């Protein structure tokens, strides 16, 4: 469970540390670093949230959850 918590904290810390990405260079397809860095975190955050969810399920001894079933 602690690993799942760490996975959920990573994007929060990365995006709250503004000096690390408050710049224009390098550009990617004409977009300044600030914009594409934050957009990249949308996908990274989704992957980390999914991984934390799977770790939580395995820690509880569950392998999947079907709609309508008890947890």
């Amino acid at each position: 469970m602690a690993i799942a918590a760490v996975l959920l904290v990573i994007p929060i810390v990365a995006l709250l540390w503004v000096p690390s990405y408050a710049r224009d260079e390098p550009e990617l397809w004409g977009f300044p670093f600030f914009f594409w860095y934050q957009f990249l975190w949308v996908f990274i955050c989704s992957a980390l949230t999914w991984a934390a969810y799977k770790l939580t399920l395995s820690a509880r001894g569950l392998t999947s959850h079907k709609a309508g079933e008890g947890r």
Side-chain angles (χ1 to χ4, degrees):
M1 291 295 226
I3 296 172
V6 169
L7 290 176
L8 295 174
V9 169
I10 289 172
I12 295 169
V13 171
L15 293 172
L16 285 177
W17 185 33
V18 177
S20 70
Y21 62 88
R23 54 192 162 142
D24 292 332
E25 297 292 329
E27 290 186 359
L28 183 66
W29 298 305
F31 291 100
F33 180 74
F34 177 82
F35 291 109
W36 66 261
Y37 178 81
Q38 291 219 346
F39 189 66
L40 179 65
W41 272 101
V42 171
F43 300 106
I44 295 171
C45 187
S46 298
L48 292 174
T49 303
W50 176 82
Y53 170 71
K54 288 297 191 178
L55 285 171
T56 303
L57 282 181
S58 68
R60 292 181 179 174
L62 303 173
T63 56
S64 65
H65 173 70
K66 295 180 183 175
E69 290 183 359
R71 294 185 182 163

